[in-house]
Amino acid sequence: MLTSVVAFLGAAFLIAMVPGPSTVVILRRAVVNGRRTGMATVLGNECGVLLWGLAAAFGLSALLLASQVAYDLIRIAGAAVLVWMGARALWQARRIGRPEEEPEGTTAVSLRRAFSQGLVTNFANPKAGVFAVSFLPQFVPQGAPVLPFLLAFAALWALVDLIWYMPLVWLAGRVGGVLRREAVRRRMEQVAGAVLVGLGVRLATES
């Protein structure tokens, strides 16, 4: 049993280290808006991870494997979200340096929006659901009660992901003063926007 848990933790850390749409969104928020907003995005992302883990535990995400229509609906919706966020970042890049521009930032509304962006970015990715339903059950010890272990693994998966992103957000906030300079921030927004749009297009066009 302990061996299964240790193996799961090691695998979860390796998975967390693989960059994806969530990484782009989290780092962008941490740099542009600071650590608090970055952490709000992380918490939203971890809620998405936890929801996918719970869906896998109760068999709901297995529908994505069984139904091409359900998978495609979530895939297209997720792609639209990524393209929209990327386009918005590109638009923000055009506005940087103008007198009327107000920095996004530190209000409670911004924290809620950051949380929702993290949640939507993760939960709108059908790959996460397919991955959860194929990944978590592999570590359930033979003969052990399946549902309690899957629920525990879902919570551990979210916790490991949180532990991985916390130092990244701290580091992004640490160098945020440099990265928030107009020229640097404009370039960063352009790169983040292009990456998000590219990921959205890739998600929309793949089978």
Side-chain angles (χ1 to χ4, degrees):
M1 184 178 299
L2 180 60
T3 303
S4 297
V5 174
V6 171
F8 173 80
L9 291 174
F13 267 111
L14 290 175
I15 293 161
M17 293 167 63
V18 177
S22 294
T23 306
V24 177
V25 173
I26 289 169
L27 291 181
R28 175 176 176 259
R29 278 299 173 195
V31 170
V32 174
N33 304 110
R35 293 174 186 168
R36 288 184 62 200
T37 309
M39 281 306 304
T41 314
V42 171
L43 292 176
N45 181 74
E46 302 325 317
C47 283
V49 170
L50 185 60
L51 287 173
W52 277 126
L54 294 176
F58 289 104
L60 298 178
S61 60
L63 292 175
L64 294 176
L65 291 175
S67 172
Q68 183 66 38
V69 174
Y71 182 89
D72 286 340
L73 285 175
I74 297 181
R75 179 172 59 85
I76 297 301
V81 169
L82 291 177
V83 171
W84 179 80
M85 287 194 296
R88 196 168 189 280
L90 292 173
W91 176 251
Q92 290 291 336
R94 291 173 57 88
R95 296 179 60 206
I96 291 174
R98 295 184 181 180
E100 69 273 14
E101 189 220 358
E102 295 182 1
E104 296 179 346
T106 58
T107 67
V109 173
S110 295
L111 293 178
R112 288 196 295 269
R113 186 170 66 185
F115 179 90
S116 64
Q117 281 187 346
L119 175 63
V120 171
T121 302
N122 186 282
F123 201 63
N125 185 1
K127 289 183 177 180
V130 173
F131 178 77
V133 78
S134 60
F135 173 68
L136 299 182
Q138 297 182 42
F139 297 91
V140 177
Q142 187 174 3
V146 175
L147 182 59
F149 264 89
L150 289 179
L151 293 176
F153 284 152
L156 285 175
W157 185 17
L159 180 61
V160 166
D161 215 50
L162 175 64
I163 292 172
W164 168 251
Y165 278 119
M166 285 177 64
L168 293 184
V169 169
W170 181 87
L171 181 60
R174 183 78 172 178
V175 299
V178 175
L179 296 179
R180 277 192 288 271
R181 294 174 182 173
E182 285 186 4
V184 177
R185 183 182 166 195
R186 184 182 297 110
R187 181 63 63 186
M188 186 199 68
E189 292 279 29
Q190 290 171 344
V191 172
V195 170
L196 287 171
V197 170
L199 290 171
V201 171
R202 179 181 177 184
L203 183 60
T205 56
E206 70 181 6
S207 59

